[in-house]
Amino acid sequence: KKKKRVHSALLVERKGSYLGLCLLLLPLLLCDSLTQFSPIFMSLPTKRSTFSAASASDDSSYSSPPMKKAKNDLHHSPQHPNTADKVGFHMEEDPTPAAANLSRKKATLPQPTKKLVIKLNKAKPTLPTNFEETTWEKLQSAIRAIFLKKPFSFDLESLYQAVDNLCLHKLEGKLYDQIEKECEEHISAALQSLVGQNTDLTVFLSLVEKCWQDFCDQMLMIRSIALTLDRKYVIQNPNVRSLWEMGLQLFRKHLSLAPEVEQRTVKGLLSMIEKERLAEAVNRTLLSHLLKMFTALGIYMDSFEKPFLEGTSEFYAAEGMKYMQQSDVPEYLKHVEGRLHEENERCILYIDAVTRKPLIATVERQLLERHILVVLDKGFTTLMDGRRTEDLQRMQTLFSRVNALESLRQALSSYVRKTGQKIVMDEEKDKDMVQSLLDFKASLDVIWEESFNKNESFGNTIKDSFEHLINLRQNRPAELIAKFLDEKLRAGNKGTSEEELESTLEKVLVLFRFIQGKDVFEAFYKKDLAKRLLLGKSASIDAEKSMISKLKTECGSQFTNKLEGMFKDIELSKEINESFKQSSQARTKLPSGIEMSVHVLTTGYWPTYPPMDVKLPHELNVYQDIFKEFYLSKYSGRRLMWQNSLGHCVLKADFSRGKKELAVSLFQAVVLMLFNDAMKLSFEDIKDSTSIEDKELRRTLQSLACGKVRVLQKNPKGRDVEDGDEFEFNDDFAAPLYRIKVNAIQMKETVEENTSTTERVFQDRQYQIDAAIVRIMKTRKVLSHTLLITELFQQLKFPIKPADLKKRIESLIDREYLEREKSNPQIYNYLA
């Protein structure tokens, strides 16, 4: 057939009791230059009743005898498929020419079966004389030509066939040894040619690279010719190296026998890398090839990496010292970052990947780890003061590589404490303390977010440091924070939107969290809130309630209970005033020309104010008596105390240049109304007529005669009010506005008020300490002094000294709440 392949057809016809099988086999043609054509024909028996793999007939046998493998090692011409006699076959042709095509005719009697006889050629092929020697000479000449870079007369296919023939006849072991010996001679000669080369290191490296490249090309060519060795002999013998590995072993062996070559190569490589570090251009391809040579030979770690890392350590140790002295910290950190990037890129381009980790560690150790403290001492404060977030982020990133974040965290803590201490302890700048602390905290938050990636440890460090610095002066920061809030919540802050005010309150609340003496803050905040509510000076009731809500969330409802009660009193007072104006007493008894609004305050909610006597004008006294009558008739069992120091009035005044309305305090109004009956009065006259306390009177007169709005004239002129001074009504007073506000003296906080507020706080603290001691002892019954003090420190939320606690314990012993144990004075017993 054209396609020279086996075609078979199996036709089965079943009629009556006959089962016919016919297998048509055509000859198989196999062309092979080394293997003799030995086809096997199979025939299947045909019987009427059964079909089986083994026939029981005695007449014909269709099984072939076992065939032996022919050892053929010579080249033969392909045998013609029709000349069966030449290949040892005798065939009797089938007399039935139409056996391959069965028609569907009526079944006939079975035809005689054909007989196949197979005859084998039993003669063994023999090798030509000197076959092994001739073949090796042929291969040897080719190998030498390859190493000498000369052309050879044999084609690669014939050389491959020669190796294959030797392997076929079990001569591969000897052939392997011969190839190894031949390769060793040439490799040794090539490496020895490099010994004594008095050339430049770069040129020498090029020669080594060329030698290695030639070796690789030559071994690959030899391996492709002797591929059968690798595929058969090497695989069957685990202790035998492949041809490529054998060549590498020979190259490594003779390179070690020429130490000068290896040492100069390593020296040249290190020199080129150092030049590149010094910004000189080098041949990176040459470096890559030579380092791959060291890796392939398996000597990279011992021969190159060790001296390379040592040289790197020395190079960067010297560079680190030099740059640390010559440059500032930001420039130094940029340099370190650049060096790390360069070394990382170097590992990608030509240095083996296994060296990357120890190389980067060496650079980090020499440029960073050794200079951590110097970098922090020299530049951290400068970076923080300059808010240089990018440089701080670079510092944090680099420090994290050498596990130095703890040092950075400590430096941050030290910086926050020192800088904050300057703000808190500067008494001359107390007015700006809170704003300065807010600005400082805001800058730290920006640095924490942008430079330290919101690291939790750094965030806690900032909080702890702030809590430390804000409590350096026990009560003053708490007081100033309350004053700052009073300033922001007071009416008159022009240009401040509700959103800005809310943002300010949130920021101040952060500082409030750091305060240990929150009771001090509460006392001053309550006092200022009372003034804002009573004088109607609050900028926004919504903002006031928002702040109280924040304080309630922060400290609980007990903290803000009194503050919320103050708002309830103000709202209730509005209802009482409306009810009073509609009452019969107000309609029938009130003097005309006067309008009065009264705030009824619950004593427990509001700050304690010292009673201040004053002789009110007759009209005001009448008004007070009528309101008192109305209130007590509505709420029996209550007692009213008039707080004259908190009152304020609006007076109508006639000046020669026109009428004005004066917004003044009650004390100022009482003094001014004296001048309805006299044009000039002395200080003693005013004091006798008003009965105002001396210091309060002096401040009141000073505000009327020495301030910006001078409704009175003082004689002699001066800033202070003396005993002999005289005052007269300033009829020539003029001002562009119709309603003029005279600064109320109660708006200015005095030292006495501060002192009294602080004393009230300490008094409240004593009650809290006493209650805590009794509560603990009632639970424990018996407790030592040390354990009692420890428990008190845990329960009390404000700062307290052990000496103060000891005084309160002594006070409770005197009042018979506790007693000392007779056998041990350090033990306290609770007395029920």
Side-chain angles (χ1 to χ4, degrees), residues 492-688:
N493 287 322
K494 297 180 180 179
T496 303
S497 64
E498 292 185 5
E499 292 77 9
E500 292 174 342
L501 181 59
E502 188 69 20
S503 175
T504 303
L505 296 182
E506 287 287 350
K507 293 177 181 178
V508 174
L509 198 65
V510 174
L511 296 183
F512 171 75
R513 293 189 185 107
F514 298 133
I515 297 174
Q516 292 177 352
K518 290 181 172 58
D519 51 351
V520 177
F521 169 86
E522 181 197 8
F524 282 96
Y525 184 83
K526 182 169 70 172
K527 183 165 64 68
D528 293 332
L529 175 62
K531 288 183 178 180
R532 292 197 299 274
L533 294 178
L534 295 177
L535 299 177
K537 297 301 182 182
S538 182
S540 169
I541 295 298
D542 291 338
E544 295 280 7
K545 291 183 177 180
S546 173
M547 187 63 199
I548 291 177
S549 176
K550 295 182 193 317
L551 293 174
K552 185 176 183 179
T553 304
E554 202 68 33
C555 303
S557 58
Q558 186 177 359
F559 185 83
T560 57
N561 184 37
K562 294 180 180 180
L563 303 178
E564 292 173 339
M566 293 165 69
F567 278 94
K568 291 178 182 178
D569 282 350
I570 295 297
E571 294 173 359
L572 187 59
S573 295
K574 292 179 181 179
E575 297 177 2
I576 293 174
N577 278 295
E578 289 294 328
S579 178
F580 173 65
K581 289 178 182 179
Q582 297 174 5
S583 66
S584 59
Q585 294 96 323
R587 289 196 302 268
T588 59
K589 298 180 181 180
L590 281 180
S592 61
I594 299 178
E595 293 182 6
M596 187 169 77
S597 176
V598 180
H599 291 294
V600 182
L601 313 178
T602 305
T603 307
Y605 293 155
W606 296 79
T608 303
Y609 299 103
M612 299 184 71
D613 294 331
V614 61
K615 292 181 181 179
L616 296 176
H618 174 70
E619 296 85 353
L620 294 181
N621 278 325
V622 172
Y623 210 115
Q624 284 187 356
D625 292 340
I626 294 172
F627 182 84
K628 185 176 181 179
E629 178 186 347
F630 161 76
Y631 185 82
L632 294 178
S633 65
K634 191 172 183 179
Y635 302 98
S636 61
R638 296 188 181 182
R639 186 167 64 94
L640 289 180
M641 290 181 59
W642 294 95
Q643 292 290 341
N644 296 316
S645 61
L646 301 178
H648 59 94
C649 305
V650 176
L651 297 179
K652 291 183 178 179
D654 291 333
F655 296 99
S656 60
R657 298 187 182 184
K659 294 183 178 182
K660 301 288 182 183
E661 286 188 358
L662 304 177
V664 294
S665 69
L666 180 60
F667 291 157
Q668 289 172 329
V670 170
V671 172
L672 288 175
M673 289 181 72
L674 294 177
F675 288 90
N676 285 332
D677 302 326
M679 290 298 295
K680 181 182 291 187
L681 292 170
S682 66
F683 175 76
E684 287 77 10
D685 294 338
I686 296 173
K687 185 176 181 180
D688 294 338

Side-chain angles (χ1 to χ4, degrees), residues 159-178:
L159 294 173
Y160 178 88
Q161 193 64 57
V163 175
D164 200 27
N165 289 337
L166 289 174
C167 292
L168 192 61
H169 293 285
K170 307 299 182 183
L171 298 173
E172 59 266 40
K174 188 174 182 182
L175 175 61
Y176 183 91
D177 295 338
Q178 289 172 327

Side-chain angles (χ1 to χ4, degrees), residues 387-412:
R387 308 293 183 261
R388 300 176 66 169
T389 55
E390 185 178 350
D391 292 325
L392 287 168
Q393 184 181 26
R394 183 178 293 109
M395 178 183 286
Q396 192 264 354
T397 303
L398 292 174
F399 277 33
S400 65
R401 300 175 71 111
V402 293
N403 299 321
L405 287 181
E406 180 60 25
S407 300
L408 183 60
R409 190 190 63 78
Q410 293 176 1
L412 176 64

Side-chain angles (χ1 to χ4, degrees), residues 74 102 166 185-186 222 235-236 244 342 391 394 401 422 436 459 510 566 633 727 737 741:
L74 302 178
L102 298 178
L166 289 174
E185 291 178 5
H186 292 284
I222 293 171
I235 291 177
Q236 294 172 1
W244 172 254
E342 289 174 11
D391 292 325
R394 183 178 293 109
R401 300 175 71 111
K422 293 178 183 178
S436 299
V510 174
M566 293 165 69
S633 65
F727 299 87
L737 299 176
K741 177 180 176 296

Side-chain angles (χ1 to χ4, degrees), residues 37-41 64-70 89 118-120:
F37 175 55
S38 303
I40 300 176
F41 287 86
S64 303
M67 299 185 66
K68 297 181 180 178
K69 185 178 180 182
F89 284 88
I118 299 174
K119 296 181 179 180
L120 298 176

Side-chain angles (χ1 to χ4, degrees), residues 36 45 75 77 86 112 119 157 190 196 228 239-240 304 347 377 404 479 522 623 652 674 715-716 719 762 797 805 827:
Q36 187 175 355
H75 295 280
S77 299
K86 294 182 180 180
K119 296 181 179 180
E157 185 178 357
T228 308
N239 297 327
V240 178
F304 175 78
C347 291
D377 292 342
E479 175 187 344
E522 181 197 8
Y623 210 115
K652 291 183 178 179
L674 294 177
N715 188 20
R719 297 289 299 174
F762 285 139
K797 297 180 180 179
L805 294 178
I827 302 296

